[in-house]
């Protein structure tokens, strides 16, 4: 049995559809109720829904053999896992965003609100800019509106959240998509099963 950590939410729904198309359908998951684990013994697969930012932890620790996590999470937490495949879902970008009239004043320390402190620090250190990080866990766009920060470092997908809050992209840092990741020990002990899943996903998603 291969244990798969799926990111709860819209990305996870799309990832499950890809697994289903690849031959790993699990009827139980289509009518979940409040359950969190679902298995299809014939297909040799067990799924569980976890918070998207926790997928990498489950996989790193071996609670899941494989999982699907955004490149943003992999860059922020640097989990000790193998990255097997870009599944081509969850496409978005990491960006610095700010109010439309924002002008950076290099004499002042820049206040940066973000869920991704490591990514933000790395970027600003690469351009030699002094910053203060304000670590938030969600609704990051509020920070500059309320004067808590000057800019944000966050994910932009459609740009609707920025637009509706009078913010705009100031600088794009990198593109993001979801990746199939694997636990290192599982990659040895369940090599054939994991390779088969990876190959089937590639075919199903034309990746
Ligand atoms: C993410 C991100 C932005 C939004 C971007 O938030 O932090 O707020 O999506 O998407 P858009 O460009 O399509 O508007 P998420 O939905 O994960 O919620 P959060 O506020 O809890 O971070």
């Amino acid at each position: 049995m291969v244990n798969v950590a799926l990111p709860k939410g819209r990305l996870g729904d799309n990832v499950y559809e890809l697994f289903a198309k690849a031959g790993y359908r699990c009827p139980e998951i289509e009518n979940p109720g409040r359950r969190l684990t679902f298995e299809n013994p014939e297909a040799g697969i067990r799924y569980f829904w976890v918070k998207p930012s926790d997928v990498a932890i489950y996989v790193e620790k071996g609670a899941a053999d494989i999982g699907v996590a955004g490149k943003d999470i992999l860059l922020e937490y640097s989990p000790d896992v193998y990255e097997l495949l870009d599944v081509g879902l969850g496409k978005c970008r990491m960006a610095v965003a700010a109010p439309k009239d924002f002008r950076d004043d290099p004499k002042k320390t820049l206040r940066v609100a973000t869920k991704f402190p490591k990514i933000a620090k790395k970027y600003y250190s690469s351009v030699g800019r002094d910053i203060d990080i304000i670590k938030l866990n969600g609704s990051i766009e509020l920070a500059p509106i309320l004067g808590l920060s000057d800019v944000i470092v966050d994910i932009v997908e459609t740009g609707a959240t920025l637009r509706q809050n009078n913010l705009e992209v100031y600088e794009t840092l990198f593109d993001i998509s979801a990746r199939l990741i694997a636990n290192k020990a599982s990659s040895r002990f369940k090599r054939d099963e994991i390779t088969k899943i990876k190959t089937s996903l590639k075919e199903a998603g034309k990746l």
Side-chain angles (χ1 to χ4, degrees):
M1 191 78 97
V2 175
N3 293 297
V4 187
L6 293 177
K8 219 189 289 181
R10 194 156 49 91
L11 171 62
D13 294 342
N14 292 336
V15 169
Y16 168 71
E17 275 314 313
L18 178 63
F19 273 77
K21 213 170 144 196
Y24 297 92
R25 191 166 285 287
C26 181
E28 287 182 345
I29 211 170
E30 290 161 25
N31 213 336
R34 299 296 289 173
R35 284 181 56 189
L36 294 171
T37 66
F38 311 89
E39 59 183 65
N40 179 348
E42 289 82 56
I45 203 122
R46 179 189 295 125
Y47 294 106
F48 36 92
W49 294 120
V50 307
K51 242 181 117 74
S53 52
D54 288 342
V55 167
I57 300 171
Y58 281 84
V59 174
E60 180 180 57
K61 303 289 182 201
D65 299 305
I66 59 174
V68 174
K71 187 68 181 173
D72 50 328
I73 301 294
L74 301 178
L75 288 171
E76 180 64 25
Y77 297 102
S78 309
D80 190 17
V81 298
Y82 292 130
E83 193 180 310
L84 302 182
L85 181 69
D86 183 342
V87 299
L89 298 168
K91 286 190 176 167
C92 52
R93 57 203 164 118
M94 186 67 70
V96 177
K100 290 191 171 133
D101 55 1
F102 170 73
R103 294 288 169 274
D104 193 1
D105 177 354
K107 291 191 289 296
K108 286 191 188 151
T109 300
L110 187 71
R111 298 169 306 154
V112 182
T114 188
K115 271 192 287 196
F116 303 97
K118 191 173 147 195
I119 288 170
K121 279 182 197 160
K122 192 170 169 204
Y123 166 67
Y124 281 106
S125 115
S126 79
V127 295
R129 183 75 175 90
D130 274 341
I131 60 163
D132 279 338
I133 291 278
I134 297 147
K135 165 80 169 70
L136 298 175
N137 297 300
S139 302
I140 314 298
E141 291 82 1
L142 266 178
I145 295 173
L146 300 181
L148 179 61
S149 75
D150 301 307
V151 301
I152 62 174
V153 168
D154 200 15
I155 286 167
V156 180
E157 191 183 350
T158 62
T161 312
L162 292 183
R163 271 195 303 280
Q164 290 178 25
N165 291 289
N166 296 314
L167 303 172
E168 63 185 13
V169 170
Y170 187 74
E171 187 91 61
T172 294
L173 305 190
F174 51 83
D175 290 330
I176 294 169
S177 58
R179 310 297 162 98
L180 178 69
I181 57 173
N183 173 268
K184 289 194 163 173
S186 304
S187 298
R188 287 203 302 278
F189 299 124
K190 300 188 182 179
R191 193 183 59 193
D192 294 349
E193 294 98 312
I194 292 174
T195 303
K196 186 159 171 264
I197 292 172
K198 178 183 160 183
T199 310
S200 311
L201 290 175
K202 265 175 121 168
E203 280 168 17
K206 300 190 173 59
L207 303 169

